[in-house]
Amino acid sequence: MFEWVIILFLGSGLIYGLQSRRLQRRSISSPMMMVLAGAVIALPLGIWHEAPLAPLADRIHFATGFAEMTLAIILFLDAAVLDYRKERPALRLANRLLLVGLPLTIGVTWAFIIGIDPTIGILPALILALIVSPTDAALGQPVLENKQVPDAVRQGINIESGLNDGLVLPVFTTAVLFEAELLGEGPGNWIREAVMEISIGAGVGILTGIVIGYVVNHAVTHRTILDRFERLLGVLSALFIYFLSEKLGGNGFVAAFAGGLALNITSDKVRDAIESFGEAESELLTMLTFFIFGLLVVPAVYGLWTWQMVIFSVASLVVLRPVCVWICMIGSPYSLAEKLYIGWFGPRGIASIIYLLIMATMIDPTGHETIYAAVVMIVCISIIAHGLSAAPLSRALVAHLAAKSKSS
C-alpha cells in the first residue's frame, strides 16, 4: 500500500504542476489540491471508516518523518534569506506583528479557548493556542506574488509568517513537555529537559550557522564552488544542522531556525540561489505534508468535530487575529484597509500541521482529541478561505489604494 500511496501523491503533484498556472488563476492552490487528493485516496483505503485517531496510531511516524524535514528546511530558509538591509519598512511592520501581535494573539486565543470550553484545561488550551497562532504565507501565495500590493505590506506578511513559527516553537516544546510530565509520559524533570533541548539546539544552530556562513563566503570569494551546488546549500545546511542537533540532544527545529539567522552569507547571488532552489524543495515537501494531512489526519478526527470548534475556528480567523493585528498597528502609517488586509492574511497551515504531528510523537493523542480536532478544522477552513480570497482581496486592496491616491 505504501508504494501506491507514494505513486498517487506523485501523480497528484504532476497533475497540479502541469496545470498550476491555470488552477491558480481560479484560486485553486497546491495545498487545496493535495489535501483533496489525500482525502479522496483515503476513501478506497478505508481510512475514513476507522475509529477516531486510529489512522494515526500506527502511521504517525511515517507522517511525522517527512513533516519534520519540511519544517526544518522552512525554518532555516525563512531565517537565512531575510535581508535586513533591503527590507526596513517590511521589517518594521513584521516587528510589530511578531513582538506585539503574536504574543497578543496567543494570549487572546488562549483566553477564548478557555471561555468557550472550560473543560479543556489551562495547559492544553495554551498548547492549542500556540499551535494555531503561527501563520503560513504559502496559503495566500497570490498575496506575495501580486507586486502591486504595497511592498512593505507584502513582505511584512511574508517575514511574519517566516519567523513566527520559529519564535513559537520553544514555547510550544516547553508546554508539551510539561503536559507530558503531568500525564506521566515525560522523560522526568521537564524543566531541565526543555532548557537542555532549547539551549543545545540554539547553541548548535548558531555555531554551525556561523561556521557554514564563513565557509560558504570563503568558497564564493575563492571561486571553489560550482553554481549548481550553490542551489543545494540551503537544503543541505538545514538538514545537517537539524540532524546534528537531534543527535547531540538538542531540538533540531530550534537549531535550524537559529542556524538560518546566524548564516550571514554576503553574496546576493548565493542567497538568491539558496532561496530559489530551497523554495522548490520545500514546496515539494509542503505538498507531501498537505497530502498526508488529507490522507491520514483529516479522516482521523473529522468525527470529533463540534459546534464549539466551528465557533473557535471562525473566531480565530475572522476576529481574534484581525483584532490583535489592529491593536498592534495602532500608530502605524497604514490605512484601515491595509490593516484589515494584514489581519485577514494570517492563514493556518504547515506549521500547525507539523506541530500537531510532533505533539503526537510526544504525548498519546488519546485524551487530547479536542486539540487535534480543533487544529484540523481551523487548517481546513483556512486552506479554503485564504486560498479562495487571496487573489481577489489583493486586487481589491490595490484598486482601493489606487482610488484613494487619485482622490487625494
Side-chain angles (χ1 to χ4, degrees):
M1 186 186 77
F2 174 79
E3 292 82 1
W4 277 111
V5 169
I6 294 299
I7 290 169
L8 291 169
F9 159 70
L10 296 173
S12 302
L14 280 171
I15 292 170
Y16 182 84
L18 292 170
Q19 299 294 320
S20 55
R21 190 179 300 275
R22 180 179 297 174
L23 290 170
Q24 287 206 0
R25 283 201 298 265
R26 291 168 171 76
S27 297
I28 300 175
S29 64
S30 62
M32 280 188 208
M33 177 72 173
M34 301 317 295
V35 171
L36 178 61
V40 171
I41 291 167
L43 283 170
L45 297 177
I47 297 175
W48 284 92
H49 303 297
E50 296 182 23
L53 298 181
L56 295 178
D58 56 352
R59 305 180 183 104
I60 189 63
H61 294 290
F62 158 73
T64 307
F66 293 107
E68 287 179 344
M69 288 192 292
T70 301
L71 184 59
I73 292 171
I74 290 173
L75 288 170
F76 180 86
L77 291 175
D78 285 341
V81 302
L82 180 61
D83 193 336
Y84 296 94
R85 300 165 295 172
K86 296 181 180 178
E87 299 170 345
R88 293 185 185 276
L91 277 170
R92 285 194 289 269
L93 171 58
N95 284 338
R96 283 178 176 266
L97 296 173
L98 292 169
L99 301 180
V100 181
L102 178 60
L104 189 60
T105 300
I106 293 171
V108 170
T109 304
W110 185 13
F112 186 86
I113 294 167
I114 295 173
I116 198 171
D117 184 8
T119 64
I120 190 174
I122 294 176
L123 187 55
L126 174 60
I127 293 172
L128 176 54
L130 291 168
I131 291 175
V132 301
S133 292
T135 58
D136 180 5
L139 294 181
Q141 197 63 31
V143 173
L144 307 181
E145 294 174 347
N146 190 334
K147 303 299 183 182
Q148 294 178 301
V149 173
D151 191 62
V153 172
R154 186 165 48 84
Q155 292 301 329
I157 292 173
N158 190 31
I159 294 169
E160 178 206 8
S161 68
L163 299 183
N164 57 16
D165 43 6
L167 296 176
V168 169
L169 184 63
V171 185
F172 167 74
T173 300
T174 302
V176 174
L177 284 171
F178 186 20
E179 177 70 3
E181 185 71 17
L182 293 177
L183 296 172
E185 300 176 23
N189 198 345
W190 69 274
I191 297 178
R192 178 179 177 276
E193 182 69 19
V195 170
M196 288 292 292
E197 278 196 23
I198 294 168
S199 300
I200 293 173
V204 170
I206 292 170
L207 180 60
T208 311
I210 291 172
V211 171
I212 291 175
Y214 174 81
V215 172
V216 170
N217 291 334
H218 183 273
V220 171
T221 301
H222 293 82
R223 301 179 62 83
T224 62
I225 182 172
L226 292 171
D227 289 349
R228 64 177 178 270
F229 283 100
E230 291 178 358
R231 296 191 290 272
L232 287 170
L233 285 172
V235 173
L236 291 174
S237 300
L239 295 178
F240 174 77
I241 293 173
Y242 170 78
F243 285 112
L244 177 63
S245 176
E246 290 286 317
K247 187 66 176 177
L248 296 176
N251 186 293
F253 302 114
V254 172
F257 184 68
L261 291 174
L263 192 63
N264 191 30
I265 291 178
T266 56
S267 168
D268 288 338
K269 174 175 174 289
V270 175
R271 290 166 61 90
D272 291 343
I274 289 174
E275 182 175 11
S276 61
F277 183 80
E279 284 180 353
E281 185 76 15
S282 60
E283 175 72 16
L284 175 62
L285 290 172
T286 297
M287 289 172 68
L288 179 57
T289 301
F290 279 111
F291 178 81
I292 292 171
F293 178 73
L295 179 74
L296 296 179
V297 183
V298 176
V301 303
Y302 82 98
L304 302 171
W305 287 343
T306 65
W307 64 267
Q308 290 100 327
M309 293 174 192
V310 177
I311 294 174
F312 165 66
S313 298
V314 174
S316 178
L317 296 171
V318 179
V319 180
L320 302 183
R321 172 183 159 86
V323 168
C324 291
V325 167
W326 182 81
I327 291 172
C328 83
M329 294 185 68
I330 292 174
S332 71
Y334 298 96
S335 66
L336 177 60
E338 289 170 312
K339 291 175 183 177
L340 292 174
Y341 181 84
I342 295 166
W344 168 244
F345 282 107
R348 310 322 196 269
I350 195 72
S352 298
I353 295 170
I354 296 174
Y355 284 179
L356 197 66
L357 294 173
I358 293 171
M359 179 179 165
T361 64
M362 300 172 68
I363 301 176
D364 185 354
T366 305
H368 296 86
E369 293 89 349
T370 299
I371 295 178
Y372 286 83
V375 172
V376 172
M377 176 177 283
I378 196 172
V379 171
C380 287
I381 294 174
S382 183
I383 289 171
I384 298 170
H386 289 103
L388 293 177
S389 65
L393 287 185
S394 296
R395 291 193 295 267
L397 177 66
V398 171
H400 171 78
L401 294 177
K404 184 178 178 182
S405 177
K406 286 182 181 179
S407 65
S408 61

